Amino acid sequence: DTEVTQTPKHLVMGMTNKKSLKCEQHMGHRAMYWYKQKAKKPPELMFVYSYEKLSINESVPSRFSPECPNSSLLNLHLHALQPEDSALYLCASSQNTGMETQYFGPGTRLLVL
Amino acid sequence: RKEVEQDPGPFNVPEGATVAFNCTYSNSASQSFFWYRQDCRKEPKLLMSVYSSGNEDGRFTAQLNRASQYISLLIRDSKLSDSATYLCVVNGGSGGYNKLIFGAGTRLAVHP
């Protein structure tokens, strides 16, 4: 079962709000990822977690704060976002951080007002 | 130069047509190659991995030419359900990290 789940599916927030996106996988994968995708553009990598440790931060602004509570869960905490942060946020996982296939969750569609 | 470049599309083809997508990548050290499919407002889904020997999955055939740094996807007997954006994806990570580099995608529209 190659399933990655994400909640919520949709989120509308104001620029002063604090919210969190959640991602879960039960495939025993040890690498998890956050991507941002704008309309008609490919996904852009934000963060990589390997064995619950942050491995890569692609120079993402600090208003995005990732967290990996355990090997199955990945959160993305949002605070003081800007309207240009509105996008589809995708979580993915892979067996490890080698040359492995990544499996994507359905995403959270975020609108910042 | 973009790290992964694809045909811009869109490709509008009738049902039953054969269509080919091309992709080039810039990092000669890349070791893993994939085609993902993304439907409108959905997540990317793995269509197939691409191997040097070429691989086939039903109506889909992928080829890799490492010398030319070129990847292709051939779809035979197109179905309406094949309409989607096809993303050429290359592993561009270093130091053991699995960083996927996505092409901009090629949109396919299959019509009756």
Side-chain angles (χ1 to χ4, degrees):
Chain A
D1 182 16
T2 54
E3 186 177 68
V4 177
T5 58
Q6 290 186 243
T7 55
K9 289 187 178 179
H10 302 275
L11 179 62
V12 179
M13 60 186 291
M15 289 189 284
T16 58
N17 293 157
K18 287 185 179 181
K19 296 287 184 183
S20 297
L21 309 185
K22 297 185 183 302
C23 173
E24 189 168 8
Q25 58 87 12
H26 292 289
M27 296 177 278
H29 289 175
R30 303 317 299 265
M32 296 184 76
Y33 311 80
W34 280 115
Y35 288 84
K36 173 182 177 179
Q37 187 175 24
K38 302 283 276 185
K40 300 189 186 300
K41 298 288 187 182
E44 296 178 4
L45 182 66
M46 299 175 72
F47 302 104
V48 179
Y49 271 82
S50 174
Y51 289 83
E52 301 158 48
K53 296 276 193 286
L54 182 64
S55 301
I56 295 179
N57 176 340
E58 289 285 302
S59 301
V60 179
S62 60
R63 59 185 184 269
F64 295 91
S65 175
E67 177 197 19
C68 190
N70 60 55
S71 60
S72 300
L73 291 173
L74 186 66
N75 298 324
L76 186 63
H77 302 298
L78 313 173
H79 174 55
L81 294 194
Q82 303 297 310
E84 59 264 30
D85 296 323
S86 299
L88 179 66
Y89 288 85
L90 293 160
C91 175
S93 71
S94 63
Q95 190 66 41
N96 56 50
T97 53
M99 308 301 177
E100 307 283 347
T101 301
Q102 292 184 22
Y103 298 93
F104 286 82
T108 294
R109 194 161 296 278
L110 174 67
L111 176 62
V112 182
L113 299 176
Chain B
R1 181 186 173 188
K2 292 181 181 176
E3 292 181 88
V4 179
E5 294 203 63
Q6 294 186 240
D7 287 343
F11 285 59
N12 294 295
V13 303
E15 278 186 287
T18 295
V19 61
F21 301 143
N22 303 316
C23 170
T24 57
Y25 60 96
S26 61
N27 184 354
S28 60
S30 296
Q31 297 184 35
S32 299
F33 310 90
F34 310 92
W35 284 101
Y36 278 75
R37 168 197 169 127
Q38 187 168 26
D39 292 281
C40 187
R41 301 180 70 80
K42 299 284 189 181
E43 75 275 22
K45 291 189 176 178
L46 178 69
L47 181 65
M48 56 200 308
S49 300
V50 188
Y51 305 113
S52 296
S53 55
N55 47 303
E56 186 174 313
D57 183 3
R59 298 181 292 108
F60 299 85
T61 300
Q63 297 279 352
L64 168 65
N65 184 322
R66 285 184 183 270
S68 302
Q69 295 178 209
Y70 170 92
I71 307 163
S72 66
L73 177 68
L74 184 74
I75 305 175
R76 291 181 298 277
D77 189 22
S78 298
K79 311 291 184 190
L80 294 176
S81 57
D82 293 334
S83 298
T85 296
Y86 290 82
L87 298 163
C88 177
V89 185
V90 173
N91 180 287
S94 61
Y97 292 116
N98 190 11
K99 178 176 177 177
L100 297 185
I101 310 296
F102 288 81
T106 301
R107 186 155 176 227
L108 172 65
V110 182
H111 57 81

